[in-house]
């Protein structure tokens, strides 16, 4: 009997071990399955967010244009910003990685934007959104070119540009009175006369204004000016601008080329259909861009036409090519009127061509 009991007890123990092992194996399998399901679930739950939230660059003139449809960012920078090593600042979806031109970066970076750059935003699950970044200089938007190597602009803290439109019954030929008024206002911020006042001072009954009318009008208000010949337009005008004088030219406007692109600031925005079209302008600055030299001018012929981007009149701060100005003055009036800043007198600049003499009188020419 004891033996039978012992045998039965051993069998019971064997059955218990069997069931324990069986349950252990089942539990182990269940744990493995749960682990695999958990891993699968974790992998499935990795974020696919790869959105661009903000973007800017150091030296931008205005907020970038971010096109969500084409994934294109366009931004314009100041002329002094270094486009080849430009700092950008951005934010993207949480945990997303960013590369610019295949180089992984943080939320700030310096990159070469001299050509369009590719920005990839990579979500944790690997989904990638590609953006094209186009950085333009203001000179490119103006139509000047890319690389500005020399620049000067004679500016004031007050407005001194006048449009010859609306200057009375002779407004269509009032470029002379308008330019004279601009020069007087530039010289003295307290000057309150208008182009119509200037017209009523000389040739009030109509007709072209002449170069000597401008000089006489400036002299009437104590503003010093002088004539000079232009044996080398580019150097003569540039050197006087470098010394903070403004320059008045009387030229044949037909030879300043026309530009039909409405957003650009280069060349005339209006057409002149025939030669012998005398016109007065003020030269107040210059830019050397790539291989082209431009003069920055106030052309009084705006006639209320402005840029849609900022409402600036199109004759204000226009850029005319130096070779066009040379041709246009050579055929019409190969002189210039140099206007001195307030309280100063025009003096000959010593480093100029020996033929560049200040003159008290020259053959007069008209503009309209």
């Amino acid at each position: 009997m004891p033996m039978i009991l012992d045998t039965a007890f051993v069998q019971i123990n064997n059955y218990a071990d069997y069931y324990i092992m069986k349950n252990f194996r089942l539990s182990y399998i269940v744990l493995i399955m749960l682990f695999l399901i958990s891993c699968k679930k974790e992998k499935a739950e990795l974020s696919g967010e790869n959105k661009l939230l903000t973007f800017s660059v150091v030296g931008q003139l205005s907020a970038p244009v971010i096109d969500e449809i084409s994934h294109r960012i366009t931004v314009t920078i100041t002329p002094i910003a270094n486009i080849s090593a430009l700092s950008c600042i951005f934010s993207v979806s949480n945990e997303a990685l960013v590369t610019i031109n295949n180089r992984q970066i943080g939320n700030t970076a310096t990159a070469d934007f001299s050509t369009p750059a590719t920005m990839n935003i990579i979500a944790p699950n690997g989904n990638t959104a590609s953006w094209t970044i186009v950085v333009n200089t203001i000179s490119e938007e103006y139509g000047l070119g890319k690389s500005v190597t020399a620049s000067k602009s004679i500016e004031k803290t007050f407005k001194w540009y006048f449009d010859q439109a609306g200057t009375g019954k002779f407004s269509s030929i009032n470029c002379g009175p308008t330019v004279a008024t601009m020069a007087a206002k530039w010289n003295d911020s307290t000057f309150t006369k208008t182009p119509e006042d200037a017209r009523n001072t000389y040739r009030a009954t109509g007709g072209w204004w002449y170069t000597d009318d401008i000089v006489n009008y400036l002299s009437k208000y104590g503003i010093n000016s002088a004539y000079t010949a232009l044996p080398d337009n580019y150097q003569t005008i540039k050197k006087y601008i470098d010394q903070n004088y403004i320059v008045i030219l009387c030229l044949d406007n037909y030879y300043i080329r026309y530009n039909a692109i409405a957003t650009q600031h280069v060349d005339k925005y209006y057409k002149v259909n025939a030669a012998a079209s005398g016109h007065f302008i003020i030269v107040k600055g210059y830019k050397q861009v790539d291989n082209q030299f431009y003069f920055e001018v106030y052309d009084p012929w705006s006639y209320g036409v402005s840029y849609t981007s900022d409402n600036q009149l199109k004759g204000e701060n226009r850029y005319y090519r130096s070779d066009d100005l040379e041709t246009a003055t050579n055929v019409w009036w190969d002189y210039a009127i140099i206007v001195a800043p307030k309280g100063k007198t025009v003096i000959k600049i010593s480093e100029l061509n020996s033929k560049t003499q200040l003159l008290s009188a020259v053959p007069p020419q008209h503009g309209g």
Side-chain angles (χ1 to χ4, degrees), residues 50-56 66 68 73 88-98 105-109 119 121 131:
N50 53 14
K51 291 182 179 180
L52 175 67
L53 303 178
T54 62
F55 184 90
S56 63
I66 300 177
E68 297 280 357
I73 305 166
C88 60
I89 305 164
F90 54 86
S91 59
V92 297
S93 298
N94 191 34
E95 296 184 350
L97 299 177
V98 176
I105 56 176
N107 59 358
T108 62
M119 180 184 198
I121 305 174
W131 289 77

Side-chain angles (χ1 to χ4, degrees), residues 160-172:
W160 57 282
Y161 177 82
F162 287 87
D163 185 351
Q164 74 181 80
T167 58
K169 63 186 293 188
F170 304 113
S171 60
S172 64

Side-chain angles (χ1 to χ4, degrees), residues 218-253:
L218 294 176
S219 179
K220 175 180 174 66
Y221 291 100
I223 299 168
N224 183 259
S225 65
Y227 300 107
T228 184
L230 294 175
D232 182 343
N233 280 5
Y234 168 85
Q235 286 299 324
T236 302
I237 297 171
K238 178 182 180 298
K239 290 295 185 184
Y240 275 107
I241 290 171
D242 282 337
Q243 297 300 316
N244 296 312
Y245 297 96
I246 59 172
V247 179
I248 297 174
L249 299 179
C250 184
L251 45 75
D252 188 341
N253 212 15

Side-chain angles (χ1 to χ4, degrees), residues 49 102 107 122 143 197 205 211 226 231 242 244 275 292 318-319 329 361:
E49 290 289 318
N102 297 318
N107 59 358
I122 307 164
D197 293 326
T205 58
T211 48
D242 282 337
N244 296 312
Q292 180 68 56
R318 201 78 189 176
Y319 292 92
T329 52

Side-chain angles (χ1 to χ4, degrees), residues 60 93 98 122 134 149 159 183 198 206 225 256 258 284 298 336 354:
Q60 66 187 35
S93 298
V98 176
I122 307 164
V134 178
T149 54
K159 187 172 181 62
S225 65
I256 306 298
Y258 165 69
K284 57 178 286 289
Y298 272 4
S354 60

Side-chain angles (χ1 to χ4, degrees), residues 33-45:
M33 289 177 68
L34 289 173
F35 177 75
L36 292 173
I37 291 169
S38 174
C39 288
K40 204 168 189 180
K41 187 177 179 183
E42 184 179 343
K43 185 174 182 181
E45 289 180 351

Side-chain angles (χ1 to χ4, degrees), residues 173-181 183-184 197-204 206-221 223 225 227 248 250 280 333 337 360 362-368:
I173 56 171
N174 267 357
C175 65
T178 305
V179 159
T181 304
D197 293 326
R199 164 59 74 177
N200 292 332
T201 303
Y202 297 109
R203 308 182 193 277
W208 307 106
W209 255 42
Y210 282 76
T211 48
D212 52 356
D213 293 326
I214 291 179
V215 170
N216 291 338
Y217 187 75
L218 294 176
S219 179
K220 175 180 174 66
Y221 291 100
I223 299 168
S225 65
Y227 300 107
I248 297 174
C250 184
F280 289 104
W333 193 64
I337 300 170
S360 58
V362 298
Q365 183 56 287
H366 70 267

